Amino acid sequence: MRTTLDVRELGRATLARQYLLEPTDTPVEKVVRHLYGLQAQSPTAPYFALWARVAGFRPEQLSGLIEDRAVVRMVSMRGTVHALTAADALELRPWTQPIMDRDLRTNSQHSKALAGFDREALESWSRALLEETPSTLAALRPQLAQRWPDRDPAALAHAVRDVLPLVQVPPRGLWGRSGQPVCTTLEHWTGSVLAEPDPERIVLRYLASYGPASVADAQAWSGLTRLGEVFDRLRARLRVFGGPDGVELFDLPDAPRPGGDVPAPVRILAPFDSLLLSHANRSRVFDDAYRRVLFTVNGIVKPTLLVDGSVAGHVTLSADRSGAAVDVTPLRSLSARVVSSVEAEALRLLAFTHPGLDHEVRVGSL
């Protein structure tokens, strides 16, 4: 008889392998590899994600890996920017290429202007240019207009992002630094060739970081379809559970699955945190009624507050010359004891982001 996992058990299992039940002292590069993609639309988001998960995390630990080319920032899962180990990027970027191919056909702003474009010529031309001199895609437009005067240069620049595996090079993505998204190819930046994707290995890696999970969950995480075929091939190697909604959930046999009564400490998650974006059914971490509050119409995913393993509010961080503050907006009633824990976690965050300034925490009420 198949075991059924309730929402709390499912949430605790994912929090455990996300290092959100207990911080890890694992080296940062290994943590990035285990987490298998840190959302990085915001340059600072991966730093906040690691701060929430790694004991004593310091920004220079990730900045150093980016400068050393051990971690790269690039478009991959769901067609969004992630921070990945270079080795993982070399496999995941070609695996997610169908997302970029689909964008070329369906992008509402550029697809009409790209109809019938010479993909091979654009890929070869832009690769040579960006490997010789890394550049922003916007800066390519005048040269694209000269090379293809009958095409919209903005559309062609967008297509370059889809046809080439581009990384954003430093100082973009370094803590305390700023910079435009200057790009070159992944192969040129790492000195390595793209790997042949192994979908079964990739799904196993996903389960290690985000499981237990359904086929639909893995598809939501990746942005790809038809992963049911991969799960079918893996079924004999996996444990199968029933989910709270009756859907089949798959997991690695020896992965951690703590009970639903295991304490889950207060945590503040990064903006765009992958925990919120890597499942089709997100009830393990937040009520779907909160989606419109947490996910804005322009694609921003707010920093969120976890209380007892699920989202209980969202967070705003602000700073000026006089000091830094965290404002917490609860989405449900918080006890005085929980508010005290929230204040302590917010002060810990301010000590990380703005050491040396005066700190203030403001927790709202319903």
Side-chain angles (χ1 to χ4, degrees), residues 187-334:
E187 302 99 309
H188 180 70
W189 186 247
T190 62
S192 301
V193 298
L194 298 178
E196 180 66 30
D198 181 339
E200 294 180 18
R201 179 173 62 232
I202 291 170
V203 165
L204 293 173
R205 292 277 306 278
Y206 165 72
L207 292 175
S209 303
Y210 298 98
S214 68
V215 173
D217 289 332
Q219 292 179 163
W221 166 75
S222 64
L224 299 172
T225 58
R226 301 183 63 181
L227 294 187
E229 302 167 5
V230 183
F231 279 89
D232 285 342
R233 294 196 298 270
L234 289 170
R235 182 179 291 270
R237 298 167 56 185
L238 300 174
R239 284 202 62 181
V240 182
F241 299 91
D245 55 359
V247 171
E248 267 191 331
L249 299 174
F250 298 87
D251 205 7
L252 306 180
D254 298 327
R257 286 180 292 273
D261 57 348
V262 170
V266 167
R267 291 283 184 259
I268 295 175
L269 299 182
F272 305 99
D273 199 289
S274 296
L275 179 70
L276 306 180
L277 297 170
S278 298
H279 302 90
N281 183 341
R282 299 164 178 173
S283 62
R284 70 185 70 195
V285 287
F286 71 89
D287 190 312
D288 199 58
Y290 298 157
R291 183 188 296 262
R292 291 186 178 182
V293 177
L294 304 176
F295 295 47
T296 68
V297 293
N298 58 349
I300 303 298
V301 182
K302 298 177 183 179
T304 53
L305 172 71
L306 290 185
V307 174
D308 191 29
S310 65
V311 172
H314 56 87
V315 171
T316 302
L317 179 65
S318 59
D320 56 30
R321 293 181 180 179
S322 64
V326 166
D327 286 276
V328 179
T329 303
L331 295 173
R332 62 178 191 250
S333 181
L334 304 178

